[in-house]
Amino acid sequence: MVSEPSLLVGLVLLVDRIPLPPRPPVRRGRPRVYSDRLFLKALVIMVVKRLPRVHLLLAVLEEPTPEMGRLRALLTGEGGRYPCRRTWERRLAAVPGALPARVGCLGRCLVGVLTPWAERGRAAAIDSTLLRACGGVWHRKDREAGIVPHTSIDREAHWGKSGWHGWVYRWKLHLVTTVAAAWIPLAARLTPANAADNEVAPDLLGDLGPEVRFLLGDSSYDDGAPRAACAAGDRELVASRRGPYPHRDGGVEVRRVFHQLRSHAIENFNGQFKAIFECGGQVPTRGLRATQRYILGAIFVYQLTLLHRFESGADLRVGLKPFLRAA
């Protein structure tokens, strides 16, 4: 009797079926022995099992359980070769640089498969959310003096302004999601908290497919660079205007409706994402590259979860957290 694969194994197997963006031109040096998909599978395991460090992933994979045995088999390259520890560290350290393109590629694929705009306007919402850095905070006077008062401080994070909490020492997750019944992440970047939303927006818009007709944002995107990027992609940017309220200009009532749609989509998605992957507190990683791998990896796993649940006929908005806990 053959047992059914676990939910985690099912998510890992999905990596073999999804499209990946084209690889950059071949560089000089030793050719790669293991495929990029193998390390994407390892990333899925790291996120689902809450394993923020590579050495912890390898230790868990060595456990003599049936599930770990199946996962080790899925992480074996061509010719039956299993990567050594140094290869795991080196290749997983390079994963964050390619994750934004892979999130964008899978987002465009999900739009084609799930058809979220079959009965609604083709709108997407753009926003950023702050994530607490691991350890203590690095005060400005100490940073300017080059003094690190405590070893727990993540020196690659930065200060950012939150409308609710004021100045905070955090990371910033920039996102574009669909405004539809299913919240599909279409593009993502992770930066220190001092990165301006309007400066990161053009990079995000480059990952969107032609299906996106309207982009809904708050007043931080009411700027020339996002508008130029939208115009280049034949999209309409609908953003809140700066200045004292109430606004009296033409179109204010229409913008108010779009702003409500934007808030309902992306702010609820942010709350759900933080609850599922426990990002409401401090992130479990230190350093920009490790945090990008874990947080953008979580966005990638969220996308895979949508695809898995769509194929099994499950709800795309309800039950995602217990599904991943069961995995």
Side-chain angles (χ1 to χ4, degrees):
M1 177 178 170
V2 179
S3 60
E4 291 292 328
S6 68
L7 295 178
L8 176 55
V9 170
L11 288 175
V12 171
L13 288 172
L14 274 180
V15 175
D16 286 326
R17 296 171 41 207
I18 62 173
L20 294 182
R23 290 183 60 180
V26 178
R27 57 183 177 83
R28 289 184 176 183
R30 184 179 178 182
R32 290 179 173 176
V33 176
Y34 304 100
S35 70
D36 293 336
R37 291 183 188 270
L38 188 149
F39 297 95
L40 275 180
K41 294 175 183 179
L43 179 64
V44 172
I45 299 170
M46 292 180 72
V47 172
V48 174
K49 289 292 188 182
R50 305 295 194 274
L51 308 172
R53 297 171 182 82
V54 177
H55 72 86
L56 187 56
L57 165 70
L58 300 181
V60 170
L61 288 172
E62 290 301 320
E63 289 298 309
T65 65
E67 184 181 42
M68 291 302 113
R70 180 73 185 276
L71 291 174
R72 284 195 301 273
L74 293 176
L75 296 178
T76 300
E78 296 180 2
R81 299 180 62 179
Y82 188 76
C84 67
R85 180 187 60 82
R86 178 59 187 142
T87 300
W88 282 116
E89 293 174 345
R90 179 172 51 82
R91 293 292 297 275
L92 285 172
V95 163
L99 272 178
R102 287 167 180 164
V103 168
C105 184
L106 184 51
R108 295 189 295 272
C109 173
L110 288 175
V111 167
V113 173
L114 306 185
T115 60
W117 296 307
E119 300 178 356
R120 300 173 184 268
R122 294 179 296 161
I126 184 171
D127 202 1
S128 64
T129 186
L130 293 171
L131 305 172
R132 289 178 59 191
C134 185
V137 300
W138 198 6
H139 292 290
R140 181 178 176 180
K141 62 178 182 180
D142 291 330
R143 177 187 284 270
E144 292 176 348
I147 300 172
V148 183
H150 199 279
T151 56
S152 70
I153 293 174
D154 189 338
R155 291 178 287 177
E156 296 186 55
H158 217 291
W159 291 94
K161 186 70 174 294
S162 167
W164 290 100
H165 305 288
W167 287 99
V168 290
Y169 191 74
R170 303 196 178 190
W171 301 101
K172 184 182 283 189
L173 176 61
H174 307 262
L175 282 169
V176 178
T177 64
T178 55
V179 178
W183 301 325
I184 305 173
L186 302 176
R189 298 289 190 280
L190 187 114
T191 66
N194 63 332
D197 292 347
N198 60 328
E199 294 178 358
V200 180
D203 289 338
L204 291 168
L205 301 186
D207 292 336
L208 304 184
E211 301 85 0
V212 180
R213 182 65 184 84
F214 298 96
L215 185 70
L216 315 182
D218 60 18
S219 59
S220 60
Y221 299 96
D222 185 21
D223 186 73
R227 290 193 179 279
C230 282
D234 194 24
R235 300 185 185 94
E236 184 72 25
L237 174 63
V238 183
S240 304
R241 299 287 178 85
R242 294 184 173 93
Y245 285 90
H247 293 157
R248 304 289 186 184
D249 59 296
V252 63
E253 295 300 328
V254 175
R255 289 201 309 274
R256 183 174 290 114
V257 172
F258 277 113
H259 183 68
Q260 291 174 349
L261 291 172
R262 181 203 69 85
S263 300
H264 179 75
I266 201 161
E267 291 183 10
N268 286 345
F269 171 81
N270 285 337
Q272 184 191 46
F273 174 78
K274 290 180 180 180
I276 291 174
F277 297 100
E278 297 180 352
C279 298
Q282 293 185 346
V283 298
T285 51
R286 282 193 179 88
L288 177 61
R289 187 155 54 181
T291 306
Q292 285 176 330
R293 181 176 61 203
Y294 192 80
I295 298 300
L296 296 182
I299 295 290
F300 183 77
V301 168
Y302 186 99
Q303 293 175 317
L304 283 180
T305 301
L306 292 180
L307 180 58
H308 188 286
R309 290 176 67 82
F310 172 77
E311 293 182 346
S312 61
D315 196 291
L316 301 182
R317 288 253 295 264
V318 180
L320 274 66
K321 183 173 183 177
F323 170 84
L324 286 173
R325 287 292 184 275

